[in-house]
Amino acid sequence: MTDVGRHPRIKLLSLSEVVDVKGYVGNFKVKIIKKARYVDETSCTACGECAKVCPVVRPDEFNMGMGSRKAIYSPFPQAVPSSYLINAKECLGHNPAVCSKCVEVCAKGCINFHMSDEEIIEEVGTIIVATGLAPYDPTEMDEYGYTRFENVLTSLEFERMVNASGPTKGSLIRPSDRNHPKSVGFIQCVGSRSAKKGSHHCSNVCCMNTVKSTFIIKEHYPDVEVKVFYIDIRAFGKGFEDLYTRSRRMGAQYIRGLPGSVEELDQKSLRVAVENSATGKLEFHELDMLVLAQGMQPAPSTQRLQEIMGLQLTSDGFYLEAHPKLQPVDAATRGIFYAGCAEGPKDIKESVTQASAAAMRAIRLMHKGEISTEPITSVIITEKCKSCGKCAEVCPYNAITVDVKNKKPAVVNSAACAGCGTCSAECRFDAIRMNHFTDAQILGQVDSMLDIAPESKILAFACNWCSYAGADYAGVSRLQYPPNVHLIRVMCSGRVDEKFIWEGFRLGAPVVLVSGCHIGDCHYIDANHWTEKRVARIHKKMEKIGLRPERLQLEWISAAEGVQFAETMKRMEKLRQSVTAEEIAETQNTLSKL
Amino acid sequence: MSKPTLAKQAAHGDQDPRIGVYVCHCGLNIAQTVDCHRVAEGAANVDGVVVSKDIVYACSEPGQQQIKQDIIDNGLDRVVIASCSPRLHEATFKKMIDSVGLNPYMLDMANLREQCSWVHMNDRENATLKAETLVNMSISRVRLLEPLIEDILPLTQKTLVIGGGIAGIQAALDLADSGYDVTLVEKSPSVGGIMAQLDKTFPTMDCSI
């Protein structure tokens, strides 16, 4: 930790949050808000005189509220930066009539009530997302009585209590009477592996964390009875099974079954009712103290950052990697990497391993000092351009400029163009060519697909990042769906031109699907808004000329939604079956007259 | 910034396309559901297809060697690989054709594994029919592909690390020790994250700070 604070190449911004990310791989522009600390970080020596005189006493977050701190404080003794800070919401204020005692005692004059939040712009080539986790709050699991019963703790509270620098100086006591407990129970999978409360996933570390805790108790208090209630003990890592065996040998009892209820007895002890699945009997255990092994959830900032950077999340809310096995630390967006629990629950060793891997992936990208970009960009065919300005309006990257007044043709800045193809799809004059996804190339695929027995086929367009990846995920999960679905890959659903859809219907396609990332998750900022508008426009036209609008479907399917993809395809097949040969013939007839 | 060149492939100018089609078995991943041989034979009759073969593992070293040799021997100017998802191996095959002088963009992949054999496992006939259609679609696409040239852009040799827990700290130190500048952003007043709150850590029972 201290190495980070003093490394000449590391600029540490604490109390800071990323609020905006612009740009692309190699050239990101990041806006950061650094909140006011009200204590000069560079000159504070952490002498602590200020906290001594501060009259405001508040629960200490670092010790899970089991200790106290002042309104001016250092989060914990080894904090980096070691400087104190003031919580402005708690401080009585700098009006001398009210307080400002800290200012008076600070010999170096570090305290400045006029400090304000700072906006910092950083230009970087790569980004590593290591936003961590949030421990599950078990208050909603009323059956375990957390917050109702004083002697029910979470694993993090237990952790602070047995820590030598914690609120009890490492002494294990019951919060209700401050006596040493004679028996301690642990309940596993609190907020993990549950369909009802918390999350479906296994939080990976709680089994071993509890094994470790039993060890600590048995080492310090050999006579304390320790019982662990569990579904499975997952001791899969190196050295894990050995520790588990040693814990049992030291006398910790492992009881297979999660308690159904906990009630408080006289003296604030706890009675746990559990069906022991090894014996099949209902058992009651009286314990002085209970520890809930809380699971891991995504950090609260996960979703906000996901939106800012256009990343993807898995169904449990952690970040989705580019490939679960072969690119486990890469985001789908080039130049962004994941480390630690941001990507999924993991222990310290795995977090460190992944962090080193992410650092190495970033170095691999940066070491040359230059970067090659995909030539999948749009090109203006100037002789066809009517300078209407539509392309500039739809471009999410402001990569196109058009001089509408002077009727000068559009110009594409190919460095800024990300290649979604929305401009090409929206241009009514066919004046924009989308490299590698040209009209001719895509229409060629449509024609070829519907060459034989078009009435039996489903034509589907899928964006590369979400829907096509979702289809791949359905494959990896071996989810079966009708074999008449044929996907055409485009970089973004924004590329799906009206004429591709009309061509499909003209050639006898019974149904057409356009699929892309969910609104808000578009890989090209908001290009899929234009997809939505376009499909609505086509639906209106279909209605006007007597085509059933439902024959064109729009679905948002993310990279993690393999199940949804398969389900959508089954639905498309049902829809296809509702389209008769006569209806198709009529459609073809109608379209040929237009 | 120079725009990507759209010049026609120098070697073959305005001649008709010379397409190679490779239908990968992926061991049994594709072959147990799709009749790869039939798919390759069907593709051989399509206009412009000079070589069409089924191949056990297209991505393997011998597989790639064979395709590269075919490109040289038959003067192929574009290739269809019908195998797994392009999201997995497009980069592999782009490199492969690049190494024998083809523009890496003169390639299309038909997704016969993730989007065919794995999702229609109990319907060999229809899966094979779909595979044939997917390959035909790829052939019509590859026929119209044009070479593209990648742009080189400058890059900032600096990393932003978001989060100062153990993972963020480790990543920042590894980068900084390797000579790269790092900005480490932490929301709370101190780095350390959850790990700093722990007492001992498993499996070796050492201190966390």
Side-chain angles (χ1 to χ4, degrees), chain A residues 6 25 48 60 68 80 91 106 147 204 216 218 227 311 361 382-383 407 414 432 453 455 471 484 491 499 536 552 573:
Chain A
R6 58 173 177 238
V25 56
D60 170 6
S68 61
V80 176
C91 177
C106 182
T147 64
N204 189 307
I216 290 174
K218 282 289 181 188
K227 292 179 180 176
L311 303 172
R361 296 289 287 178
T382 41
E383 37 310 353
K407 288 274 169 199
S414 55
I432 304 180
E455 71 287 349
N484 52 352
M491 292 315 282
K499 57 176 162 301
L552 169 64
E573 170 58 7

Side-chain angles (χ1 to χ4, degrees), chain A residues 213-222 246 250, chain B residues 200 205:
Chain A
S213 300
T214 65
F215 219 79
I216 290 174
I217 298 177
K218 282 289 181 188
E219 242 174 18
H220 291 84
Y221 314 97
R246 277 159 63 204
M250 285 175 95
Chain B
K200 307 278 195 304
M205 308 301 285

Side-chain angles (χ1 to χ4, degrees), chain A residues 437-449:
Chain A
F437 290 90
T438 63
D439 286 358
Q441 288 162 3
I442 294 171
L443 288 170
Q445 287 172 281
V446 175
D447 292 355
S448 172
M449 188 204 125

